[in-house]
Amino acid sequence: MKIDGRFWLTKDNESFLGAGRIELLKKIEKTGSINAAAKEMKMSYKAAWERINGMNNLADEPLIQRKTGGKGGGGTTLTPYAHKLIETYNRLDELHRQFIERFAEAGDDPERLAKILKRTFLTTSARNQIPSKIDAINLNELNAQIAMSLSGGSSLTSIITAKSVKNMGLSVGDDIYAIIKSSDINIANKIPDDCEDLNILEGMIKTIEISKNSAEVSFAINKNITLIAILNKTDIDSLKIGSKAYAIINKKNIIIGS
């Protein structure tokens, strides 16, 4: 089985815009004629006009306008409002497709779908929420080390309680989020001598924004992942935009979201 879904926009509890109606509008713009558009879509002029009329009745502004006379002999074109509706629909349809693709990860497993739903609607104040996959879970009586892989080949390790692993139902292969507060990330030019309990991520400093008492540093690990760190102003003297540096994060400061 596969999760699928169709996307429609309704207005006043009536169907307003769907893929077929959007295609009809595009054909009218292309051909300059409702009749020609109907033929390309293999429908009657009457059916095409009923769809156009139905959209016009629900729309805030007209969707088509008539051209009369002239060199081309007149025709039908879309209004600026119709073009805006098409752009809006296309963007919403793209987001809907991405949403369905996330669901499709679950296949026919309802429990996996429940986990994906939780992950999709995860809300937190933390600035850094990094999609990750669990590679290994090393448990002892009290704690667990969660080894995670990130897109682009980087990795992180988080130390959480063994009880949290059990309560969250975490297992190897799960898709999760590594959640890190900006104030828990340090950016430095060199790797510290004692880094046993630390995650070290190599990357490049993208921007540095200085306020009265602190500085916000954006740090690119790769083209897909950028971290935001909040540092004291005194800690950024040696940092330069565009230079290589290291993000240093204590393993105990990474929260797991699933």
Side-chain angles (χ1 to χ4, degrees):
M1 291 191 296
K2 181 182 178 182
I3 296 174
D4 202 350
R6 297 188 179 187
F7 178 67
W8 269 87
L9 292 176
T10 62
K11 190 172 183 183
D12 299 333
N13 295 320
E14 293 187 43
S15 297
F16 180 37
L17 290 177
R21 293 187 176 190
I22 291 294
E23 184 181 359
L24 177 59
L25 291 175
K26 290 179 179 178
K27 295 288 188 185
I28 291 171
E29 182 67 12
K30 172 189 169 185
T31 63
S33 161
I34 296 176
N35 188 45
K39 288 180 179 177
E40 285 203 7
M41 295 189 66
K42 295 180 172 53
M43 66 169 63
S44 67
Y45 175 86
K46 181 175 181 293
W49 174 247
E50 286 176 349
R51 284 166 173 75
I52 295 296
N53 196 44
M55 286 187 282
N56 268 328
N57 289 337
L58 291 170
D60 295 330
E61 300 177 24
L63 300 179
I64 60 172
Q65 53 192 2
R66 302 278 189 177
K67 282 186 177 181
T68 57
K71 185 177 180 181
T76 304
T77 61
L78 301 186
T79 63
Y81 178 72
H83 285 291
K84 185 177 179 181
L85 277 181
I86 290 172
E87 290 179 8
T88 299
Y89 178 89
N90 285 342
R91 179 57 179 151
L92 290 172
D93 189 44
E94 178 187 359
L95 293 172
H96 175 260
R97 178 182 52 77
Q98 293 173 3
F99 190 71
I100 293 298
E101 285 175 356
R102 292 290 302 276
F103 278 19
E105 297 174 26
D108 58 357
D109 185 345
E111 295 307 315
R112 181 163 172 73
L113 176 57
K115 287 185 178 181
I116 292 171
L117 277 171
K118 289 179 182 178
R119 197 169 75 239
T120 300
F121 297 112
L122 176 71
T123 302
T124 171
S125 62
R127 296 282 297 277
N128 302 290
Q129 303 177 38
I130 310 168
S132 312
K133 184 180 290 290
I134 296 179
D135 293 329
I137 300 175
N138 297 313
L139 285 163
N140 60 34
E141 290 183 3
L142 295 176
N143 296 320
Q145 286 205 38
I146 311 294
M148 299 164 281
S149 57
L150 286 54
S151 66
S154 299
S155 61
L156 287 171
T157 299
S158 172
I159 297 177
I160 62 176
T161 64
K163 185 175 289 187
S164 293
V165 172
K166 181 179 179 181
N167 290 343
M168 296 175 70
L170 299 178
S171 59
V172 173
D174 282 354
D175 294 312
I176 58 172
Y177 282 100
I179 303 170
I180 314 164
K181 292 170 58 179
S182 300
S183 56
D184 286 334
I185 301 175
N186 187 29
I187 306 295
N189 288 321
K190 62 179 183 178
I191 299 174
D193 295 331
D194 184 8
C195 56
E196 182 181 352
D197 294 325
L198 304 175
N199 289 283
I200 309 294
L201 296 172
E202 182 178 322
M204 184 191 74
I205 296 172
K206 291 177 63 177
T207 63
I208 300 175
E209 297 183 16
I210 301 174
S211 61
K212 183 177 180 181
N213 299 312
S214 61
E216 179 178 295
V217 178
S218 64
F219 180 81
I221 300 172
N222 54 50
K223 66 178 181 180
N224 297 318
I225 301 175
T226 296
L227 300 177
I228 302 297
I230 302 296
L231 308 177
N232 292 324
K233 287 177 66 175
T234 55
D235 295 332
I236 65 167
D237 293 340
S238 61
L239 302 181
K240 294 183 179 180
I241 295 173
S243 64
K244 185 178 82 171
Y246 301 92
I248 304 168
I249 310 158
N250 193 294
K251 294 176 182 178
K252 293 181 179 180
N253 288 339
I254 298 179
I255 299 169
I256 301 297
S258 67

